[in-house]
Amino acid sequence: QVQLVESGGGSVQAGGSLRLSCEVSGYVFTGNCMAWFRRPPGKEREWVASIATGNEFTYYSDSAKGRFTIAQDNAKRTVYLQMSGLKPEDTAMYLCAARVNSNCPSVRTMPVGYGSWGRGTQVTVSS
């Protein structure tokens, strides 16, 4: 029922910035846990950040803290991931995920905690 469409990926040099977008449709926008995951080449999905769209509480992985910011725009029904100070190890397919009617409990760090997924947008960081 929930549809998620990511955009904003691309190729940048180390130290650069990108802003990813996740447009949400098919369900109420507020009151959910929204997340960004990433899948580096040859590796499993790893959690990057989450935001509870009801109270706008945010959560970050250790790798994201200080460099990435997750935010929401209710009018645009969009969740953003602003990334700065990008490193080659940030290269991955970035995926948007939704857990509806939820805050962001500890399961927020696990793919199984989310019921809806977008197709992803590729981020490539060169040295």
Side-chain angles (χ1 to χ4, degrees), residues 49-95:
S50 296
I51 185 167
T53 57
N55 56 19
E56 301 189 33
F57 283 6
T58 58
Y59 308 86
Y60 297 94
S61 68
D62 289 342
S63 64
K65 289 178 182 176
R67 298 189 300 131
F68 296 179
T69 300
I70 189 169
Q72 67 188 65
D73 185 324
N74 293 354
K76 295 183 177 180
R77 300 177 60 88
T78 298
V79 174
Y80 301 98
L81 185 68
Q82 178 67 52
M83 305 185 293
S84 62
L86 285 165
K87 306 173 182 179
E89 51 262 45
D90 295 319
T91 295
M93 179 70 71
Y94 281 73
L95 302 158

Side-chain angles (χ1 to χ4, degrees), residues 8-28:
S11 298
V12 298
Q13 293 186 321
S17 299
L18 283 174
R19 188 180 74 165
L20 308 182
S21 299
C22 174
E23 186 175 349
V24 182
S25 62
Y27 206 79
V28 295

